[in-house]
Each structure stands twice: as structure tokens, then as C-alpha cells.
Amino acid sequence: MTYLLDWIVFLPLIGAVVVLAAPAQMAKSITWFVTFLVFLMSCALFGPFLPGGAALSAEYGTMQFENIVPWIKVGNFHINYHIGIDGLSFPLIILTTLITWLSAWACWNFEHWNVNRGPKGFFCLFLILETGVLGTFAALDFFLFYIFWEVMLLPMYFLIGVWGGPRKEYAAIKFFIYTLAGSVLMLVALLAMYYTSADALGTAGGTFSLIEYVTNPAIAEMFNSESTRFLSWTFGPAMFVMLFIAFMIKVPVFPFHTWLPDAHVEAPTPISMILAGILLKLGAYGFLRVCYPIFPEAASQLAWSVALLGVINIIYGAFCCLAQTDFKRLVAYSSISHMGYVVLGIAIMTDTGFQGAMFQVLAHGISSPMCFFLVGVIYDRAHHRDLNRFGGLWLAMPRYGSLATLGFFASLGLPSLCGFIGEVWVLLGTFNAPFTWAKPMAVIAAFGVVLTAAYILWMIQRVYLGKKKEEYADYPDATARETAILFPMAVLAIFMGILPSYTFNLMNGTLDRMIEIWKPMAAVALGG
């Protein structure tokens, strides 16, 4: 079990090599098998996170399945291969392996996306992308984190730009430019933090350890001191802003959101599932792993600005959904709106807010891929996504219509489904936060729930209800494979909505202890 996490991270990369060496007609099957095997292996990580497990009461920085090996030593640079998981990264590892496996399975259904044109290249990049995502969630060395972060960029660029829709080149280049701009800011911050940590430790070389940045008192004090400078700016706020922009592009947060609808509309359906279910979560993970625990004072000083961006995301994204006639673009803008609750929950810097934000990350990671797959199923039959041309699909496709209603209601935030818990927790946390502006923010954000209900119910009425249209009367219902892909997401949507305590138990120990470490430094802004 010592190297279990290493195998989980790098097995997809090995699978990519196998795909390149195997006959083209076997590429799809190999990818399905590798992603399924990785998912099964990730389930073996549950041990320490089960009730009574060591991970639930561990101090922040006590990692499970940890492996640290000296990697690069050049001059004063000491870079370690350091991976491990805690209550923050473990649920995201499970989410990644599950959604990637289901997305690989979904590749059987969508021949019109030209997956069969160069299948070896497609599935090789698909598996490399999984390694990049898993490595980012597992990395505890900031340099290693950055490498895995960059590994994700090129596979996604080509998966959209080569196998996407009519405007694939435009969408892929836009995605690449936005993400690369954020990566540059992250690299600058990474280097500045390394050299500043060297000053704090009084050594020639610093550290890239994300855990030591939080738990080492000398480094934490230096990073958050008013006297520490970066060029002409105070160090903490300068680093926080650069890192926040890098991660907010990935979430995405207004005004850096415009790449997302284009990328979703042009991407193949399985890639949209990964993009919505996993890649957007990397930005939120960056906030929780890097920005807030390392720079709590800067975070408290900028809390109003971050919360405002979250509220804008919620309301602006919902209004954009109301204006859409393209089914897939509507679901894409809904992701922008739903991720606004994550940003708002993190911004208020309270236990309830962080818990709600993290729960919303996982809930959206289930409901959003389900919605994109549902759009892909009907597009595979109709070859268009015009909402105004549909109608009565529930009568023509009863099994598909029932699963679609469940999936979109989970996205809506219907009580007893996964989308409800995270949003309510964020609103409760915001309403009770020790900021004078918190209650007005909560009221405005709550209005987003009404807008979400409006565009989801209007969409369901136009697409699934009403009289059966002749042109769709003979459409086949969801196949056994399509139903099998939707079923795990449907079960999780119900399970997380009815029994949210199981999900909270996985992550609350890590989140609570992280807040305990830095809360004194942000005491003024947090009201105590």
C-alpha cells in the first residue's frame, strides 16, 4: 500500500504508452480498462477516511499514503517528489477517477465527434490528462504541483482543437491563452515564495513544500508580515492576488470566464464531462490548498472583493442561462453560476463557508458531467442543440427523460439531491459571517437560487414536456450503456443529498484544522 497513490497517479500515463503501441481498434478498450482499474485502485484509499480512521482526526499536514523522495537538487534548489492526500484532496481523487472512467465509457456513444479519427492520439491524450489531474490533487511540493498543472494544459488543448466542433480551433486557442496566462502568474509566485521561505529559514535554499508554508511558524510569519515586500508591494497580498487570478481562471470566475462556454460547446461530450466535473474543480482546490491557508491575512483583507466576484458569478451566470437557446451552452453557463457559490463560500473564511464550498465542488462534480452527458445523448440522435426545436422527449424516451429530470433537478438544487446541501451551507455561512457586508451578499446570492429554478424548469418544459413531436417519436430510449453511465452519477446525486454527513466527514477534519492554524492571523476580519 506504500506506493498505491503513485500507481494511481502514473498508471494512466503507462496506459497512454500502451495505447500508442497497440492497434488503433484496441485504443478505446484499453482506455476503458485502464481508467476502470485506476478507479478501483482509488477506492482502496478509503481506509484512513472511514469512520474512526486516522485521517479524520489527523493534524493539518499529516498526510495519508504519503511519499517523499528527493528529486532535483541544482544549486540551492531542492525539489522533492512529494505526494499525499488528506480530507481536502481525497474526495477529489475519487471524483476524478470516477468521472474519467465514465467519460472513457461515454466515448463509445458519440461517433459523430470523430473520436475514431486518430483514436490512438485521442485516447493517449485522454490518459495523460488524467495523470495531470491526479498529480495536481496529490502533489504537496509546489514545483511538482506546477508541473502537473501544466501537464493538463496541452492534452486538453488538443482534445478540443483536434476532435472538437466547427469552431474548435478558436475555442482551443482561447482556452490555452487564458490558462497559460494564469500559469505565468503562478510561476512568478512560486519562485517568489521559494526565495522568501529561504529568508524565513535563514538558509541558502528555501522550500517548495505547500504544507510547510502553512505549518512552519517562521515561514507563515514572513509570508504574512507587512514588512515583507515583493517589488514595491506587500508580499502577502501580492502573492495572493497572483495565485488567485491563476486559479480563478480555471474555476472560472468573472471576468475570466469567457473561455468556458466556447470550450464546452466545441469539446466532445466526454471531454466536456471531464472539463466540467474535474478541471473546474482544480481552481477551487488551488484556493483551498494554496491561497487561503498560506496567505490568510491577505485573504481577509480582500474578502469583500472575492465575495463580490462570487455573487457576480452566481447572478450573471444564471441570467446568461436564461438567454440561451443552445442546450449545451446553457449547461456551460450554469457551471459558471454554480461555481460562484464555491467562491462565495471560500471568501467568507468560516467553517460553514468552507464546508459548503467544498461540498458544492463535489456536488457540481457529479451533477454537471451528468447534465453534459444528457445533452450529448440527445445531440447524438437529433444532431442539433436548439432548445426551441425540442419538446415531448420524455414521452418518446421515458428512461432518458426520467434520468434527465433527476440530473437537472440535482443541478437546480432540489432538496434531497446533492446540489441543495452545498448551496444552503454557503448561504447559511455567508448570512452568519462576521462581516457587515455578508448579509446583503447572502440575500443577493439567494436570488440566484430563484434564477436557477427559472432557467432549469423552463428548459425542462421546452425539451422534455409537452406533446410528442413526430420528428422525435422514433428516437430510441437511453441504451443500456448510456443508462449504466448515468446510473452512478444519479445514485451519488441522491446519496449526497439524503446523507450529506458521509461526505462532510471525509473533509471536515482537514478543513477545520486548517482554519485553526491560520484563524488567529485573520482574527480582526473574522470578528475575533
Side-chain angles (χ1 to χ4, degrees):
M1 299 293 284
T2 305
Y3 299 103
L4 177 60
L5 185 59
D6 304 79
W7 277 105
I8 291 171
V9 171
F10 290 105
L11 186 57
L13 185 61
I14 298 171
V17 176
V18 174
V19 165
L20 288 178
Q25 62 269 25
M26 295 181 62
K28 194 183 298 184
S29 299
I30 293 171
T31 301
W32 184 93
F33 176 76
V34 170
T35 53
F36 180 59
L37 181 60
V38 172
F39 170 64
L40 291 180
M41 292 172 67
S42 70
C43 292
L45 299 174
F46 264 97
F49 299 91
L50 294 174
L56 301 187
S57 58
E59 293 297 319
Y60 183 80
T62 301
M63 312 303 291
Q64 310 301 316
F65 303 96
E66 187 174 13
N67 188 13
I68 179 169
V69 178
W71 181 30
I72 301 174
K73 185 175 181 181
V74 180
N76 293 327
F77 278 96
H78 294 202
I79 302 168
N80 295 319
Y81 169 79
H82 186 189
I83 64 171
I85 55 173
D86 58 6
L88 185 57
S89 51
F90 167 68
L92 292 168
I93 293 280
I94 298 296
L95 177 68
T96 298
T97 58
L98 172 63
I99 297 302
T100 305
W101 168 51
L102 296 177
S103 300
W105 207 357
C107 293
W108 261 271
N109 294 7
F110 302 109
E111 304 302 334
H112 59 272
W113 283 112
N114 296 320
V115 169
N116 285 337
R117 186 188 65 195
K120 294 173 70 170
F122 179 91
F123 289 108
C124 176
L125 292 168
F126 187 96
L127 290 168
I128 293 173
L129 178 63
E130 184 177 18
T131 284
V133 174
L134 291 171
T136 304
F137 286 137
L140 300 175
D141 182 279
F142 202 0
F143 194 90
L144 185 65
F145 177 97
Y146 181 78
I147 289 175
F148 280 120
W149 184 276
E150 291 301 290
V151 165
M152 296 181 298
L153 178 57
L154 282 178
M156 183 57 74
Y157 169 76
F158 286 114
L159 288 168
I160 297 173
V162 176
W163 288 275
R167 300 176 71 241
K168 57 191 177 185
E169 293 88 353
Y170 169 78
I173 291 173
K174 195 173 184 180
F175 163 79
F176 186 89
I177 290 174
Y178 270 78
T179 307
L180 186 63
S183 297
V184 170
L185 292 174
M186 191 192 303
L187 180 61
V188 173
L190 179 153
L191 295 174
M193 291 164 67
Y194 178 82
Y195 285 113
T196 304
S197 68
D199 295 337
L201 296 172
T203 58
T207 180
F208 286 110
S209 172
L210 292 170
I211 301 303
E212 194 170 357
Y213 287 160
V214 181
T215 57
N216 188 307
I219 296 176
E221 183 178 354
M222 177 73 79
F223 279 5
N224 291 278
S225 173
E226 290 289 331
S227 60
T228 307
R229 315 296 291 182
F230 174 74
L231 300 179
S232 59
W233 298 296
T234 305
F235 184 81
M239 295 299 105
F240 180 87
V241 169
M242 285 193 291
L243 291 168
F244 186 83
I245 293 174
F247 295 130
M248 72 186 285
I249 290 172
K250 189 72 79 176
V251 170
V253 179
F254 177 91
F256 301 114
H257 66 285
T258 59
W259 65 267
L260 182 66
D262 293 314
H264 269 310
V265 168
E266 302 305 323
T269 296
I271 303 307
S272 285
M273 293 172 65
I274 292 177
L275 184 59
I278 303 171
L279 260 67
L280 304 190
K281 311 306 174 282
L282 288 158
Y285 177 75
F287 293 155
L288 292 168
R289 177 65 77 196
V290 183
C291 290
Y292 279 79
I294 298 176
F295 301 105
E297 287 192 4
S300 65
Q301 294 167 13
L302 297 169
W304 181 85
S305 301
V306 176
L308 178 63
L309 290 174
V311 171
I312 290 173
N313 253 45
I314 294 169
I315 303 301
Y316 170 79
F319 273 119
C320 287
C321 288
L322 286 169
Q324 301 307 312
T325 58
D326 184 300
F327 201 172
K328 199 174 187 184
R329 191 173 287 271
L330 181 149
V331 178
Y333 274 109
S334 75
S335 291
I336 295 173
S337 181
H338 292 312
M339 291 302 289
Y341 289 100
V342 175
V343 177
L344 177 61
I346 294 172
I348 60 175
M349 300 178 68
T350 63
D351 299 47
T352 306
F354 271 42
Q355 291 167 10
M358 187 63 187
F359 194 99
Q360 178 69 358
V361 164
L362 299 174
H364 186 262
I366 295 298
S367 63
S368 186
M370 187 176 182
C371 291
F372 276 108
F373 184 76
L374 289 163
V375 174
V377 168
I378 195 60
Y379 182 69
D380 191 47
R381 290 155 171 77
H383 302 295
H384 73 83
R385 295 188 296 262
D386 188 345
L387 290 169
N388 296 320
R389 291 174 56 187
F390 290 119
L393 286 180
W394 204 339
L395 293 174
M397 307 167 63
R399 183 165 58 245
Y400 166 78
S402 300
L403 288 167
T405 303
L406 189 151
F408 284 109
F409 276 177
S411 179
L412 182 152
L414 189 73
S416 77
L417 295 176
C418 62
F420 174 74
I421 303 298
E423 292 180 6
V424 167
W425 237 246
V426 168
L427 293 174
L428 288 173
T430 304
F431 196 83
N432 293 316
F435 299 105
T436 56
W437 45 261
K439 285 182 174 62
M441 290 275 191
V443 172
I444 297 171
F447 183 63
V449 176
V450 179
L451 293 175
T452 301
Y455 70 74
I456 291 290
L457 293 175
W458 190 27
M459 178 274 296
I460 290 175
Q461 180 185 17
R462 286 183 287 175
V463 176
Y464 299 106
L465 302 181
K467 294 182 179 180
K468 186 190 301 184
K469 293 188 176 182
E470 289 300 321
E471 59 182 309
Y472 308 126
D474 297 328
Y475 279 4
D477 205 347
T479 65
R481 180 182 290 114
E482 290 165 344
T483 303
I485 293 169
L486 289 166
F487 185 74
M489 293 183 281
V491 169
L492 284 173
I494 297 170
F495 176 79
M496 291 176 65
I498 294 177
L499 296 171
S501 59
Y502 285 91
T503 305
F504 278 125
N505 288 341
L506 292 177
M507 60 193 183
N508 280 4
T510 298
L511 291 175
D512 292 346
R513 284 160 184 78
M514 180 178 71
I515 293 173
E516 288 173 3
I517 291 176
W518 53 256
K519 198 168 186 177
M521 289 187 283
V524 174
L526 292 172

